[in-house]
């Protein structure tokens, strides 16, 4: 403790010599004591606080952990993260966790929710982090960044190559997205459509269990679109898609089974539609709406912040869980009954018809100027009949 003059009180039990000489001699004595080290109670110099020294044999246990063990723990964390903050909070803890957390092995195991970035939070650092994950071999990051670059940033070549990289690693969503690009000729002209390539990619995604690809392939077989017509085989794929959706709901556990209901009156349309999507309405069951992929949700938010349009005259897919925009005018198909909705694929049309559009579709007079649009006809069973201009 110091006095107002800045000097220290003597420590308890210490006898201090009091000087009875003049002020000038006291100053000399003070400097003398400071030099000799006999007493420093009058010293006005700042005393630095010394840090406590570690006891002999004490060590930092975290620093003693091998890097391989820390990386293994971080791999488990990144693969089970439910939001980006779960992983970011680890990176900002210390320098060692930051360097090891950006290891290629950790980034390659990251779950889709680890880089589930909202469109309003998009930045160069977020782009760079997604790029690091993609370079590390994370197929989900390749697919997500590919979709964002292809549709949002309009970098078609880079986006398609990233999706192709994921597709070569048997990523079902990437295969199906490439199939949609081939069906529509996205990023090019109408003459760039390759229906056979789209069917082949769709068949590969369907083989891997992708429900939308199964439904798309079933409609292609029913309509003879890009493949020889086979109505019976097409119906079989549609039933298989519905069965896979039902199996996914049941396997999700009791938390999701309350969505599953049995419709007592099959003639009553849209029973329980507010709670779920009656994709199995032909069989009397209602199942919940599938959760949108983070990349699809990002695109929906991205274009919603831009007045719901990808550019002048360009429309978005009307299915809420899709988010794909047109890359040229009149690229998507529209409903032949009302003409108010547009779809990038037959699968999106079937989903939106069962969930929403069946209750909203109202016949209107046929528009006079088609401008080369493809048309989607909705029948009472929700099947899709394509009228493609030659």
């Amino acid at each position: 403790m110091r006095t107002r003059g800045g000097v220290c009180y003597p420590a308890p039990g210490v006898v201090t010599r009091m000087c009875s000489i003049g002020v000038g001699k006291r100053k000399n004595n003070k400097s003398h004591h400071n030099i000799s080290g006999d007493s420093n109670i009058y010293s006005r110099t700042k005393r630095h606080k010394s840090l406590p020294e570690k006891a002999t044999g004490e060590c930092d246990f975290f620093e003693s952990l091998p890097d391989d063990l820390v990386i293994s723990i971080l791999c488990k964390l990144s693969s089970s993260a439910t939001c980006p903050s779960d992983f970011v909070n680890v990176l900002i803890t210390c320098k060692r966790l930051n360097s090891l957390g950006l290891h290629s092995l950790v980034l390659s195991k990251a779950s889709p929710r680890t880089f589930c970035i909202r469109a309003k939070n998009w930045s160069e650092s977020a782009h760079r982090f997604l790029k690091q994950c993609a370079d590390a071999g994370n197929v989900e990051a390749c697919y997500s960044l590919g979709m964002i670059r292809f549709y949002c940033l309009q970098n078609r070549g880079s986006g398609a190559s990233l999706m192709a990289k994921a597709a070569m690693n048997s990523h079902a969503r990437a295969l199906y997205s490439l199939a949609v690009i081939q069906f529509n000729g996205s990023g090019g002209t109408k003459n760039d459509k390759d229906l056979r390539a789209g069917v082949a990619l769709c068949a590969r995604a369907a083989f891997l269990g992708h429900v939308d690809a199964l439904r798309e392939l079933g409609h292609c077989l029913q309509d003879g679109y890009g493949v020889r017509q086979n109505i019976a085989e097409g119906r079989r794929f549609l039933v298989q898609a519905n069965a896979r959706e039902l199996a996914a709901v049941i396997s999700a556990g009791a938390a999701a089974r309350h969505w599953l209901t049995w419709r007592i009156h099959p003639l009553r349309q849209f029973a329980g539609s507010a709670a779920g999507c009656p994709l199995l309405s032909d069989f009397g069951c209602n199942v919940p709406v599938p959760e949108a992929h983070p990349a699809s949700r990002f695109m929906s938010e991205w274009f919603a912040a831009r007045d719901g349009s990808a550019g002048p005259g360009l429309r978005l897919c009307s299915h809420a869980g899709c988010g794909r925009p047109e890359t040229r005018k009149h690229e998507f198909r529209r409903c032949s009954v009302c003409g108010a909705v547009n779809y990038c694929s037959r699968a999106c049309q079937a989903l939106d018809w069962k969930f929403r559009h069946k209750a909203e579709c109202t016949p209107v007079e046929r528009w006079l100027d088609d401008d080369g649009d493809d048309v989607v006809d909705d029948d009472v069973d929700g099947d899709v009949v394509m009228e493609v201009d030659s």
Side-chain angles (χ1 to χ4, degrees), residues 219-277:
H219 286 301
C220 287
L221 286 167
Q222 274 193 321
D223 306 332
Y225 189 70
V227 67
R228 181 176 296 178
Q229 189 176 23
N230 190 334
I231 298 177
E233 191 70 9
R235 293 295 294 178
R236 186 178 71 84
F237 277 112
L238 293 177
V239 172
Q240 187 178 355
N242 289 333
R244 282 185 178 272
E245 281 186 326
L246 180 60
V249 173
I250 295 175
S251 63
R257 286 179 194 170
H258 71 279
W259 291 97
L260 183 61
T261 59
W262 184 262
R263 194 171 57 177
I264 300 175
H265 303 287
L267 296 179
R268 202 175 88 192
Q269 293 186 356
F270 236 48
S273 61
C277 176

Side-chain angles (χ1 to χ4, degrees), residues 7-133:
V7 298
C8 297
Y9 288 111
V14 177
V15 179
T16 307
R17 290 183 304 178
M18 303 301 296
C19 300
S20 57
I21 56 178
V23 177
K25 292 185 177 181
R26 184 182 299 171
K27 291 182 179 181
N28 294 335
N29 289 339
K30 183 176 67 173
S31 61
H32 171 73
H33 292 318
N34 290 339
I35 296 173
S36 63
D38 186 28
S39 173
N40 61 353
I41 59 175
Y42 296 106
S43 175
R44 295 176 182 267
T45 58
K46 188 175 180 180
R47 299 173 64 186
H48 297 282
K49 185 183 293 184
S50 59
L51 297 175
E53 297 182 359
K54 291 183 179 180
T56 307
E58 184 181 354
C59 63
D60 190 340
F61 291 105
F62 175 68
E63 293 297 335
S64 64
L65 291 176
D67 287 350
D68 293 344
L69 180 59
V70 178
I71 289 175
S72 177
I73 296 172
L74 291 174
C75 286
K76 293 289 186 180
L77 175 66
S78 65
S79 62
S80 59
T82 57
C83 60
S85 60
D86 289 348
F87 188 67
V88 172
N89 287 337
V90 175
L91 297 181
I92 63 177
T93 302
C94 64
K95 291 183 178 180
R96 189 185 184 201
L97 285 179
N98 184 277
S99 60
L100 296 180
L102 297 177
H103 192 273
S104 59
L105 186 60
V106 177
L107 297 180
S108 66
K109 302 291 184 180
S111 66
R113 294 183 181 273
T114 304
F115 40 80
C116 180
I117 303 167
R118 307 302 293 265
K120 62 181 180 180
N121 298 328
W122 181 254
S123 61
E124 285 298 325
S125 60
H127 194 172
R128 187 165 55 251
F129 177 70
L130 260 179
K131 181 68 166 57
Q132 282 183 289
C133 294

Side-chain angles (χ1 to χ4, degrees), residues 173-188:
R173 287 186 180 272
L175 286 163
Y176 176 67
S177 295
L178 291 174
V180 173
I181 291 174
Q182 295 294 335
F183 281 135
N184 297 327
S186 301

